[in-house]
C-alpha cells in the first residue's frame, strides 16, 4: 500500500514537471535563440555552463590532491573507473578561500571527447538563456573563461577556455 502511495506521488511530480516544461515562454515560440545552461554557485556568485558540455553531476566526492599540480587543479577523481582531472573553479577565477559548509560538488564536463571535473560549491538549476539576454563586451576586463553575463549577473563560462587552462596547467 505504501509503495502505491509513493508511486502516486512520483507520478504527480512527473505530471507537474511535464506540464511546466510544456508551457514554454512566448520567446521560444517566436524563434528566440535559446540555449540551456546549468547554473552553478561559487559563494554568492552564479556562473553557468552550457548544458551540452555537462556530462554528469556527481554526488559529493572526495578529490584526491596531486602533488606538484598547478594551483587551479584540485586533484583527480575516479569516474566509472576512469581517472579524471578536477579543476577548482574558485581558484581558476582567482577567488580567495574555500566554500563554507558541505564538501564541494563536482560536475563532469565533456568537450570534443575530452573529459574533466569542475569543482564548484553548488548546482542551482537548469535555465534557458537567449542570445539577446547575454551581454558580451570583449573590452569588459572579464577573464577569458567568461563568455558574457546576463542582466541578473549570471556569468556564462567558456568551456573551451577551461579545457585550455587545464592544458596550460599540465604543461607548466
Amino acid at each position: 500500500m505504501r509503495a502505491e502511495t509513493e508511486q502516486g506521488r512520483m507520478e504527480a511530480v512527473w505530471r507537474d514537471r511535464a506540464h511546466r516544461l510544456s508551457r514554454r515562454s512566448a520567446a521560444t515560440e517566436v524563434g528566440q535563440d535559446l540555449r540551456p545552461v546549468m547554473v552553478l554557485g561559487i559563494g554568492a556568485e552564479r556562473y553557468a555552463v552550457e548544458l551540452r558540455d555537462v556530462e554528469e553531476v556527481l554526488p559529493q566526492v572526495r578529490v584526491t590532491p596531486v602533488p606538484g599540480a598547478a594551483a587551479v587543479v584540485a586533484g583527480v577523481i575516479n569516474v566509472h573507473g576512469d581517472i579524471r582531472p578536477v579543476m577548482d573553479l574558485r581558484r581558476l577565477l582567482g577567488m580567495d578561500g574555500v566554500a563554507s559548509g558541505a564538501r564541494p560538488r563536482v560536475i563532469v564536463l565533456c568537450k570534443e571527447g575530452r573529459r574533466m571535473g569542475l569543482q564548484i560549491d553548488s548546482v542551482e538549476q537548469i535555465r534557458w538563456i537567449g542570445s539577446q539576454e547575454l551581454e558580451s563586451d570583449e573590452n569588459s576586463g572579464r577573464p577569458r573563461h567568461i563568455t558574457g553575463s546576463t542582466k541578473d549577473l549570471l556569468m556564462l563560462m567558456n568551456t573551451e577556455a577551461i579545457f585550455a587552462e587545464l592544458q596550460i596547467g599540465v604543461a607548466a
Side-chain angles (χ1 to χ4, degrees), residues 38-42 45-49 107 118 120 122-124:
M38 180 176 285
V39 179
L40 314 171
I42 296 288
E45 295 185 20
R46 299 294 168 256
Y47 296 88
V49 292
I107 61 172
L118 186 64
I120 56 175
S122 62
V123 174
E124 304 291 328

Side-chain angles (χ1 to χ4, degrees), residues 63-64 66 68-77 83-89 91-93 107-111 113-119 144-145 157-172:
V63 177
T64 303
V66 177
V72 297
V73 177
V76 295
I77 56 173
I83 303 301
R84 300 284 178 216
V86 177
M87 296 274 285
D88 185 335
L89 185 56
R91 291 183 207 159
L92 181 67
L93 297 171
I107 61 172
V108 178
L109 299 176
C110 181
K111 189 84 169 176
R114 300 172 295 166
R115 288 174 176 77
M116 65 175 276
L118 186 64
Q119 184 172 291
R144 67 188 185 101
H145 310 100
M157 302 294 299
N158 179 339
T159 308
E160 192 62 44
I162 294 172
F163 274 97
E165 188 71 32
L166 182 62
Q167 295 302 321
I168 292 168
V170 170

Side-chain angles (χ1 to χ4, degrees), residues 18-37:
H19 177 70
R20 283 185 284 133
L21 288 172
S22 70
R23 292 183 290 136
R24 290 279 187 225
S25 69
T28 304
E29 294 170 11
V30 298
Q32 181 185 24
D33 179 28
L34 293 175
R35 62 178 114 176
V37 298

Side-chain angles (χ1 to χ4, degrees), residues 7 14 18 30 72 80 92-93 95 99 133 150 153 155 163:
Q7 179 149 359
W14 287 113
V30 298
V72 297
H80 310 295
L92 181 67
L93 297 171
M95 300 172 88
E133 255 186 282
T150 62
L153 301 180
M155 292 170 270
F163 274 97

Side-chain angles (χ1 to χ4, degrees), residues 120-132:
I120 56 175
D121 291 349
S122 62
V123 174
E124 304 291 328
Q125 66 180 341
I126 303 297
R127 176 174 160 183
W128 293 82
I129 297 179
S131 57
Q132 64 269 22

Side-chain angles (χ1 to χ4, degrees), residues 3 12-13 27 47 50 61 81-82 97 108 128 135 139 153 165 172:
V13 168
Y47 296 88
E50 292 203 38
V61 296
D82 294 321
V108 178
W128 293 82
E135 300 170 3
N139 300 324
L153 301 180
E165 188 71 32

